Amino acid sequence: MKKYTYTEKKDTRSGFGAGLLEAGKKNDQVVALCADLVGSLKMDAFIKEFPERFFQIGIAEANMMGIAAGLTIGGKIPFTGTFANFSTGRVYDQIRQSIAYSDKNVKICASHAGLTLGEDGATHQILEDIGMMKMLPGMTVINPCDYNQTKAATIAIAEHHGPVYLRFGRPVVPVFTDPDQKFEIGKAWMVSEGTDVSIFATGHLVWKAIEAGEKLAELGVNAEIINIHTIKPLDEAAVLKSVAKTGCVVTAEEHNRYGGLGDSIAQVLTRNNPVPQEYVAVNDSFGESGTPDQLMTKYGLDTDDIVRAVERVMKRK
């Protein structure tokens, strides 16, 4: 098991803010729109540097998506910002009709995804967004794991033509990836090679998978851990190469078990190499109010849940 350490924790939404500023410096066509949540989306630095390239839309998310689509016609690269629930569930029709259908170059950037926005509760937590967005033809779906990777992903999507859904979170999490990394859309990242089980994790669950891998190593299990930061397009070659070695799979995500990363992996396995699979995900329910740690434990998304899933799936080999 490859060892990973960290010296600080940061929220992935701050990685987005830092990446947006850098993307704006690199390309004067990058503009930003926000639905009255500048502080939550960490857009302050971009606004200070480029006030003429920022548009405060207010609490009018559907209008924000329409404006963003229109801005692309003039060659702008719009980044929209609000909570994941309001970035998808509230405005799905506008995204489908005005952005995805006509392949508009809009970057839909969504903070406070999953359970870990915590005390705001079920009405603000969304656990269906990956499924909703990956089903839209031509939509790229990215869910980075830490501050550095989120920053790199934000810079990368500015250079990618086409609609993108970039998902990130509120809580502080360990920063363990390279600050100077080159983010490759659609390319999985090998966290640690192994031979006994493949753990495919995304977002906040990547660090949980690393912790689980260390516990499994103590039990004599050599886990291969792969960070699937791009859920669509999925790196199918990396999935199949790993499974050919290990013969069983655990997927880990802060999302409903239906429609998320686990289902994308299962489709690849069904078509190419069916093997036993276990899901670490929310089991078809809404969330509730609580601290992020409490919710991750209650809904089965913690380190020990990954360990137990590995134990179950290895018995099925």
Side-chain angles (χ1 to χ4, degrees):
M1 174 71 193
K2 184 177 178 179
K3 295 295 183 183
Y4 285 87
T5 59
Y6 65 93
T7 58
E8 62 179 339
K9 292 184 176 183
K10 289 186 178 181
D11 47 333
T12 49
R13 58 179 172 155
S14 289
F16 164 70
L20 179 63
L21 176 61
E22 290 303 311
K25 290 178 179 178
K26 292 177 70 173
N27 190 334
D28 62 9
Q29 296 302 300
V30 170
V31 298
L33 301 83
C34 193
D36 202 35
L37 286 168
V38 167
S40 293
L41 271 290
K42 305 299 183 181
M43 289 180 160
D44 306 81
F46 180 91
I47 296 169
K48 182 178 180 180
E49 186 80 12
F50 308 111
E52 73 287 354
R53 288 156 57 186
F54 172 74
F55 304 92
Q56 176 57 271
I57 309 302
I59 306 174
E61 293 86 356
N63 190 37
M64 179 170 69
M65 295 302 171
I67 293 171
L71 285 166
T72 67
I73 297 171
K76 301 301 181 186
I77 306 172
F79 283 67
T80 67
T82 186
F83 287 3
N85 194 11
F86 309 144
S87 289
T88 57
R90 180 170 288 181
V91 295
Y92 197 69
D93 180 62
Q94 284 73 26
I95 293 172
R96 183 184 188 275
Q97 303 297 95
S98 299
I99 296 174
Y101 178 64
S102 51
D103 194 37
K104 292 292 193 296
N105 193 28
V106 176
K107 316 307 173 185
I108 302 164
C109 303
S111 183
H112 293 56
L115 288 171
T116 49
L117 66 97
E119 292 84 351
D120 287 354
T123 58
H124 284 55
Q125 296 158 355
I126 191 161
L127 300 166
E128 317 92 67
D129 55 317
I130 290 174
M132 293 168 65
M133 299 304 281
K134 78 176 186 180
M135 286 191 293
L136 290 170
M139 182 68 69
T140 295
V141 179
I142 298 173
N143 188 38
C145 65
D146 72 354
Y147 172 95
N148 289 336
Q149 194 169 80
T150 307
K151 179 180 178 181
T154 305
I155 296 167
I157 66 174
E159 300 168 358
H160 168 84
H161 183 82
V164 176
Y165 180 59
L166 179 65
R167 182 190 206 249
F168 42 92
R170 175 188 185 185
V172 294
V173 294
V175 181
F176 61 97
T177 69
D178 187 346
D180 300 317
Q181 66 190 275
K182 178 176 173 55
F183 187 91
E184 295 184 62
I185 295 172
K187 183 70 173 177
W189 175 52
M190 177 64 72
V191 177
S192 183
E193 294 193 39
T195 56
D196 295 333
V197 59
S198 299
I199 303 176
F200 299 108
T202 188
H204 294 148
L205 270 292
V206 175
W207 183 255
K208 296 289 186 183
I210 291 171
E211 292 180 327
E214 292 174 349
K215 288 191 172 187
L216 288 163
E218 294 174 0
L219 299 173
V221 176
N222 185 11
E224 180 150 292
I225 302 169
I226 297 179
N227 172 9
I228 306 290
H229 52 64
T230 306
I231 295 169
K232 184 185 175 185
L234 183 66
D235 189 346
E236 296 189 8
V239 171
L240 293 172
K241 181 179 179 181
S242 178
V243 172
K245 287 194 297 180
T246 65
C248 63
V249 169
V250 170
T251 54
E253 59 192 309
E254 189 182 344
H255 190 269
N256 195 331
R257 64 175 295 166
Y258 297 109
L261 170 65
D263 278 0
S264 291
I265 298 290
Q267 285 189 36
V268 175
L269 300 179
T270 299
R271 294 196 310 270
N272 296 279
N273 184 14
V275 299
Q277 177 177 346
E278 290 284 334
Y279 288 64
V280 174
V282 177
N283 189 21
D284 194 28
S285 73
F286 292 100
E288 62 183 286
S289 296
T291 68
D293 287 343
Q294 289 172 334
L295 295 172
M296 294 288 274
T297 298
K298 178 171 181 176
Y299 288 87
L301 307 181
D302 222 334
T303 303
D304 288 340
D305 296 296
I306 299 175
V307 172
R308 286 190 287 267
V310 167
E311 292 172 338
R312 290 194 304 271
V313 82
M314 288 185 64
K315 292 177 181 178
R316 298 168 54 201
K317 288 175 71 169

